[in-house]
Amino acid sequence: FDSKLDGQVAIVTGASSGIGEATATALASRGASVVLAARRKNELEALADQIESAGGDSLPVPTDITEEDDIDALVETTLEEFDSIDVLVNNAGVMLLEPVERADRENFRQMVEVNLLGLMNLTHAALPVMQEQGAGHIVNVSSTAGRDANANNSGYSATKFGVNAFSESLRQEVTTEGIRTTIIEPGAVETELQEHVPDEEIKEQIEDGFLDSITPLQSEDIADAIAYAVTRPQHISINEMLIRPTDQQ
Ligand code: NDP
């Protein structure tokens, strides 16, 4: 690895598992001090220990991104400890797939609050810091579902279309201030995401049918793409990356 991110500070949400965990590790291995945000404190602390043993620097900050107080505390704690926010990876997300007619409204609410509103609010909290610095990079983890809606992913897809719209609007507002934005759109990645699908029929279709029929991406594949985007020279802004398993149609 290299030290392209030496001296930089990155916040990664959803760092307790999957893509967020791999991204935190990838950024730390390139020299960034990484603030680890998610709800599961034990997982964050275990990751912080791993990063530290590998010679990296990180700070676990237990955070529920549906809570505005937690979001503000995350930004404040980061600034107290490290003085800047150079990279924000908005990665936390839930995928509670259900057909609309059987959907639980609480699941609609949770997807909007975590995948979309949490991302919007944390961006809102971190942006003034980046504006003051005159530089910063906001990476928003969307999905192929942010480009194409399919049966049974209505709520999830709605949040990811929202992420893409929010990100593009933000890009136009702040790009001339030196603040870069990147939308990451993964296809199927083997993580815990599918385990939380509430509809047993859909969950089975994904886990036993779809994922078994392809070679899914691993979290590290997405982390690698994020690391690429945030290590480009300042004049290059990778605005969007769509990454699918080769055998996913
Ligand atoms: P995981 O389930 O492994 O990770 C989801 C992360 O989000 C966890 O770290 C979880 O931490 C965190 N999270 C959930 N709710 C909250 C909350 N209220 N506050 C803070 N953190 C929260 O799945 P992935 O790694 O796959 O998902 C990461 C992102 O990638 C998501 O946005 C997902 O939509 C996207 N994605 C994933 C794909 C896939 O196939 N896996 C494909 C396309 C996009 P905790 O529970 O500790 O709070």
Side-chain angles (χ1 to χ4, degrees):
F1 282 111
D2 53 46
S3 52
K4 284 207 177 85
L5 296 176
D6 262 357
Q8 296 213 24
V9 178
I11 297 176
V12 179
T13 68
S16 58
S17 61
I19 295 168
E21 180 180 353
T23 300
T25 304
L27 302 187
S29 75
R30 287 163 176 80
S33 296
V34 183
V35 178
L36 312 170
R39 292 166 304 175
R40 286 171 292 173
K41 189 167 181 264
N42 291 347
E43 275 77 354
L44 296 182
E45 285 174 352
L47 177 60
D49 287 346
Q50 266 180 46
I51 289 174
E52 198 175 316
S53 327
D57 185 24
S58 71
L59 177 72
V61 182
T63 304
D64 182 339
I65 60 158
T66 68
E67 298 288 340
E68 290 192 40
D69 290 349
D70 281 20
I71 285 179
D72 293 336
L74 173 61
V75 168
E76 278 161 30
T77 308
T78 303
L79 291 177
E80 275 164 23
E81 186 76 16
F82 299 116
D83 286 331
S84 70
I85 303 173
D86 303 293
V87 177
L88 167 61
V89 183
N90 280 309
N91 160 79
V94 289
M95 183 177 75
L96 308 174
L97 305 181
E98 292 168 307
V100 177
E101 64 173 357
R102 287 206 296 274
D104 183 334
R105 286 187 192 170
E106 199 40 54
N107 292 337
F108 279 164
R109 175 191 290 278
Q110 200 189 339
M111 286 191 287
V112 171
E113 287 190 349
V114 177
N115 302 4
L116 185 55
L117 193 58
L119 171 150
M120 291 165 64
N121 285 339
L122 180 53
T123 300
H124 181 258
L127 188 63
V129 178
M130 294 182 174
Q131 286 176 312
E132 176 96 22
Q133 293 165 181
H137 197 147
I138 298 171
V139 178
N140 289 335
V141 179
S142 176
S143 168
T144 48
R147 290 183 157 223
D148 301 305
N150 293 111
N152 299 330
N153 81 353
S154 59
Y156 182 70
S157 210
T159 64
K160 295 300 189 180
F161 269 69
V163 167
N164 285 20
F166 180 79
S167 305
E168 172 56 14
S169 185
L170 174 71
R171 184 190 71 77
Q172 292 179 24
E173 288 174 17
V174 300
T175 194
T176 57
E177 294 178 71
I179 298 167
R180 298 185 283 177
T181 58
T182 302
I183 301 169
I184 304 283
E185 296 158 327
V189 189
E190 198 170 19
T191 67
E192 292 175 18
L193 195 75
Q194 300 77 228
E195 290 170 23
H196 306 295
V197 170
D199 189 290
E200 284 306 323
E201 210 176 293
I202 297 173
K203 188 174 164 182
E204 224 176 271
Q205 275 169 22
I206 297 174
E207 287 184 337
D208 302 335
F210 177 58
L211 283 178
D212 279 353
S213 70
I214 61 169
T215 305
L217 299 171
Q218 298 302 312
S219 295
E220 291 70 22
D221 301 328
I222 302 303
D224 192 36
I226 293 173
Y228 176 80
V230 302
T231 53
R232 290 315 87 202
Q234 174 64 20
H235 71 288
I236 303 171
S237 191
I238 310 274
N239 296 135
E240 193 172 7
M241 293 175 98
L242 172 63
I243 308 145
R244 293 191 185 92
T246 306
D247 53 6
Q248 178 183 344
Q249 271 179 336

